[in-house]
Amino acid sequence: MLDQQKFSAKLLTWFKQERAHVPVPGRGQKDPYAVLVAEIMLQQTQVSTVWPYYRRWMETFPSISILAQAQLDQVLKIWEGLGYYSRARNLHKAAAYIMQEYAGELPRTAKKLIQIPGVGPYTAAAVASLAYNETVPLIDGNVLRVVSRLQQITEYISRAKTKAKILKDLKALISGEEPGLFNQSLMDLGRVICTPKAPKCHACPVSSMCQAYAAGDMLDYPVKPRKAPIPHYNIVIGLIQKSGEVLIQKRPANGLLGGLWEFPGGKIKVGESEGDALLREIKEETGLDVNIGEKIGSISHAYTHFKISMSAYYCIWKTGNPEIHAATENRWVAQKALNDYAFPKANLKILDLIAS
Ligand code: SF4
């Protein structure tokens, strides 16, 4: 077990000297709403990617009450391109809940924060410790990596039991006086020093206390089960044109890319041509008959659990009115108005092809 005082002192001294001046969205703030937004945006996402989104969000929705009153479409538009859209939907739901239960003011303890829709143990502990200085530890991927190396943890890091043990150890380690700064420092140590593939142990403030460093086997931790290969799908979509307008469809609110708009289309079956797949998918999703026109182009995109190659074609409407099947809404919009709608990244890449 690590010496609490020595570990805390080394970590906090390093952070104050080396890192405190480096801006990270929401960090160093005492506004709990700003911390909540930033911490949710920072999950699975690089700091440099988050900055423009965070600024735009705080300008558009500067308070919980303004966010609660906003339309979900506007919320998704501001989030467009940041990925993991359930985070945006949950923030919107959280704002309504906080207005109703707490008159717009975030509760001050992790125990109460975790009851808010979409707020998990990490976010609750981050807001409670960073904004309100509650002595509650947190774990994210960076913290897990650091601790697994410090203590040479040989159990799978993704197991609930392993995480519970790490959390228990951190409870004994966290600084009682500066818990927010302790959490921030540990996350930062993992992000910039104890990196996944090339830890900078020579610059690490706690290297003298690190078991993996002493053994020289840092890269063996954290221990993870072997990953299954990521599936790949071929997709084809159509920009169906009718009287100067294009058909877009809204995805169901829950699930992957929920609430976003997209062009009709879908997976190409084995042995099927792009044209046949497109006619079939458009018929299944909209009930429309179309003629396929010029090919716009193809793009590739990687989601978390699968990759796609997507081809897009202009299509000319022939007959029928769009029906509702998997989508929740159909809308004909002028091509120049497409920018007003929130689309998944793959559809945005197709729109970039058209614009270039
Ligand atoms: S000494 Fe190296 S492996 Fe250990 S915590 Fe520091 S950076 Fe990570």
Side-chain angles (χ1 to χ4, degrees):
M1 188 65 204
L2 297 161
D3 179 318
Q4 190 267 334
Q5 283 191 346
K6 205 168 137 197
F7 183 82
S8 223
K10 280 175 180 284
L11 184 67
L12 292 173
T13 305
W14 165 79
F15 185 79
K16 287 173 190 170
Q17 285 174 358
E18 306 283 331
R19 300 293 309 165
H21 62 282
V22 180
V24 175
R27 303 269 167 91
Q29 294 229 23
K30 290 296 168 201
D31 170 5
Y33 169 60
V35 175
L36 175 72
V37 172
E39 290 305 327
I40 288 182
M41 285 189 172
L42 285 164
Q43 287 164 24
Q44 332 270 348
T45 313
Q46 301 268 341
V47 170
S48 55
T49 307
V50 166
W51 265 120
Y53 285 94
Y54 174 73
R55 288 198 188 101
R56 208 147 50 102
W57 181 282
M58 295 307 285
E59 276 164 26
T60 315
F61 312 120
S63 68
I64 290 173
S65 64
I66 293 175
L67 174 59
Q69 286 163 33
Q71 294 295 314
L72 181 60
D73 268 351
Q74 189 195 4
V75 171
L76 291 172
K77 185 66 194 166
I78 295 293
W79 199 276
E80 183 186 67
L82 194 56
Y84 303 99
Y85 291 87
S86 59
R87 296 181 298 173
R89 292 195 303 272
N90 284 337
L91 259 174
H92 190 228
K93 268 190 218 155
Y97 178 89
I98 297 160
M99 289 308 295
Q100 198 186 321
E101 298 293 320
Y102 298 103
E105 202 170 309
L106 273 157
R108 304 180 71 88
T109 62
K111 221 172 169 181
K112 287 210 164 136
L113 284 159
I114 207 168
Q115 289 165 14
I116 298 171
V119 172
Y122 166 81
T123 311
V127 174
S129 64
L130 270 60
Y132 296 128
N133 233 21
E134 187 185 1
T135 309
V136 52
L138 54 75
I139 46 175
D140 70 350
N142 289 319
V143 171
L144 288 173
R145 184 169 59 257
V146 173
V147 178
S148 73
R149 287 172 175 170
L150 283 166
Q151 303 192 319
Q152 284 182 305
I153 293 174
T154 50
E155 289 85 26
Y156 285 150
I157 201 72
S158 52
R159 281 204 182 136
K161 214 172 140 192
T162 316
K163 289 183 184 172
K165 157 94 174 62
I166 289 179
L167 211 48
K168 193 169 159 231
D169 290 350
L170 285 172
K171 272 186 190 146
L173 274 184
I174 190 168
S175 158
E177 281 166 27
E178 299 178 285
L181 219 51
F182 177 93
N183 282 338
Q184 217 174 310
S185 309
L186 204 53
M187 288 191 279
D188 224 45
L189 184 73
R191 196 161 54 80
V192 298
I193 302 287
C194 195
T195 54
K197 294 195 178 125
K200 303 174 189 70
C201 301
H202 57 279
C204 175
V206 291
S207 59
S208 64
M209 308 171 88
C210 178
Q211 293 177 16
Y213 181 51
D217 61 0
M218 298 82 77
L219 296 185
D220 291 347
Y221 304 94
V223 178
K224 294 177 180 174
R226 192 179 289 181
K227 272 191 190 159
I230 294 182
H232 175 268
Y233 303 114
N234 291 311
I235 308 278
V236 62
I237 61 167
L239 273 70
I240 305 171
Q241 298 175 309
K242 181 191 167 200
S243 311
E245 294 183 319
V246 180
L247 183 67
I248 57 173
Q249 299 190 296
K250 195 177 204 175
R251 294 178 67 90
N254 296 315
L256 181 74
L257 310 171
L260 297 187
W261 294 85
E262 65 184 2
F263 302 105
K267 282 182 201 159
I268 303 171
K269 292 180 180 169
V270 178
E272 203 176 27
S273 71
E274 287 188 345
D276 287 348
L278 185 55
L279 291 174
R280 176 184 54 73
E281 283 286 342
I282 287 176
K283 191 73 184 168
E284 282 172 16
E285 289 188 2
T286 69
L288 296 180
D289 289 311
V290 301
N291 285 323
I292 298 178
E294 189 191 338
K295 183 167 183 173
I296 296 165
S298 300
I299 57 99
S300 299
H301 189 68
Y303 291 99
T304 321
H305 300 298
F306 61 93
K307 293 179 181 173
I308 60 166
S309 298
M310 178 183 274
S311 294
Y313 289 81
Y314 287 112
C315 296
I316 319 300
W317 172 85
K318 268 201 315 192
T319 56
N321 283 321
E323 298 162 3
I324 296 287
H325 292 284
T328 57
E329 192 180 334
N330 290 312
R331 204 176 280 186
W332 291 103
V333 295
Q335 194 156 322
K336 60 179 187 307
L338 288 173
N339 206 21
D340 298 339
Y341 295 83
F343 286 93
K345 191 82 178 177
N347 278 223
L348 289 175
K349 286 183 178 176
I350 296 292
L351 289 175
D352 283 348
L353 288 182
I354 295 172
S356 63

